[in-house]
Amino acid sequence: MFGALRPSQSIATRLVLSAIACSLAVLVVAGFILSNIYRRTTQEAFDQRLDAYLRSLVADISAPADDKPAEPGQLGEPQFDLPNSGWYWQITRVDTDSPEIRTSRSLFAQELPKLSELGVPAGIGGTRRASTKGPDNQAIRVLEREIEVGDAGIYLVQVAATTDIVEYDVANFIRALIATFAILALALAATTFFQVRFGLRPLRRLQEEVSSIRRGESEKIDGRFSDDLSPLAGELNLLPRAGSAPARLHGGGSRCANAAVASARR
């Protein structure tokens, strides 16, 4: 955008456009970073919720009755009982030739993919976790752990849920972020505009003083200026003077003075 600025554009226009461009760049980068942080945080919270269900299932089947693992208790999530709800659990005995599989009602005669067969490495505590495709080609998040229940055998315990929940939360956050940043961008643009106009006010006043000399309405630049403009005003007053008042700064000195302040014109 800076390359598109024309040399003839005023200082005020350059300052406003460059400030807006920088602000937009910062907002875009900040939005990208914040959305990724929110997505990671939401995913971690989602995994913690699934891990709680996984621990509950492991606790239920780790207390065998009559050499058989106990039936899983109520996990407190009604979605596990609704067919194709997106919330699933599955318990598979893996130390027999014909695996014994128990599932939640929501799986409705389907099975969850095994992360161990997909090459997902086990993490802390032997838990595997990954996003994959599930029943009806749903995008799901799966957590699984293999446990040994004494003489009752070795079981693979799995819990899964659709990632639509995470995507929905992230999409809502991004929409709110865009709306907030849009308002912030407008506020920054307005603030920059007024700051530039206020900051360049002394230049415009200096221009008016020089024009007044050129028109013969005054003989020198009067008034007090800011510390950075006072030397310029003093030097303009010391320029060689010749002829009548209208011609004193009409030559080279007038052109230099006007060139110094012309960029402040609106």
Side-chain angles (χ1 to χ4, degrees), residues 15-37:
L15 288 175
V16 171
L17 292 181
S18 59
I20 290 176
C22 291
S23 297
L24 288 177
V26 170
L27 289 177
V28 169
V29 173
F32 178 78
I33 293 174
L34 288 175
S35 62
N36 277 278
I37 291 175

Side-chain angles (χ1 to χ4, degrees), residues 57 60-62 64 68-73 88-93 99-105 107 110-112 147 149 152 155-158:
L57 286 172
D60 286 341
I61 67 174
S62 293
K68 292 183 179 180
E71 289 295 325
Y88 313 106
W89 61 260
Q90 178 174 298
I91 300 174
T92 307
R93 184 170 182 176
E100 302 173 6
I101 300 177
R102 288 178 291 171
T103 67
S104 61
R105 293 179 182 177
L107 267 174
Q110 300 183 76
E111 295 183 15
L112 293 175
I147 64 169
V149 190
Y155 291 85
L156 179 68
V157 184
Q158 295 176 284

Side-chain angles (χ1 to χ4, degrees), residues 48-63 70-77 80 89 91 143 145 147 157-159:
Q48 289 176 1
R49 183 178 178 184
L50 291 177
D51 188 61
Y53 292 141
L54 183 65
R55 289 173 181 269
S56 179
L57 286 172
V58 169
D60 286 341
I61 67 174
S62 293
E71 289 295 325
Q74 176 59 253
L75 295 179
E77 178 56 69
F80 286 118
W89 61 260
I91 300 174
L143 269 66
R145 183 190 302 173
I147 64 169
V157 184
Q158 295 176 284
V159 175

Side-chain angles (χ1 to χ4, degrees), residues 76-237:
E77 178 56 69
Q79 297 285 353
F80 286 118
D81 292 327
L82 301 178
N84 297 320
S85 64
W87 290 82
Y88 313 106
W89 61 260
Q90 178 174 298
I91 300 174
T92 307
R93 184 170 182 176
V94 295
D95 61 340
T96 58
D97 294 334
S98 55
E100 302 173 6
I101 300 177
R102 288 178 291 171
T103 67
S104 61
R105 293 179 182 177
S106 54
L107 267 174
F108 202 61
Q110 300 183 76
E111 295 183 15
L112 293 175
K114 296 179 176 59
L115 299 184
S116 56
E117 296 178 356
L118 296 177
V120 178
I124 299 176
T127 301
R128 293 182 175 89
R129 59 191 72 206
S131 298
T132 184
K133 294 293 183 179
D136 296 329
N137 208 34
Q138 286 180 318
I140 58 174
R141 183 73 171 172
V142 183
L143 269 66
E144 69 177 33
R145 183 190 302 173
E146 195 172 279
I147 64 169
E148 184 176 350
V149 190
D151 295 334
I154 302 174
Y155 291 85
L156 179 68
V157 184
Q158 295 176 284
V159 175
T162 175
T163 57
D164 289 347
I165 299 173
V166 175
E167 297 301 327
Y168 179 78
D169 286 345
V170 173
N172 282 340
F173 176 79
I174 291 176
R175 283 193 291 268
L177 193 65
I178 291 174
T180 302
F181 277 12
I183 296 174
L184 183 59
L186 292 175
L188 287 173
T191 301
T192 300
F193 175 77
F194 287 113
Q195 282 181 334
V196 169
R197 287 189 62 86
F198 177 77
L200 294 181
R201 185 178 298 174
L203 270 179
R204 287 193 291 272
R205 189 161 68 86
L206 181 59
Q207 179 189 16
E208 293 170 358
E209 290 288 336
V210 172
S211 298
S212 177
I213 296 175
R214 180 175 55 82
R215 293 192 301 267
E217 297 174 358
S218 61
E219 297 184 355
K220 66 175 183 177
I221 298 174
D222 295 321
R224 299 187 60 181
F225 292 88
S226 58
D227 292 342
D228 49 354
L229 288 181
S230 290
L232 176 60
E235 292 296 328
L236 291 175
N237 281 333

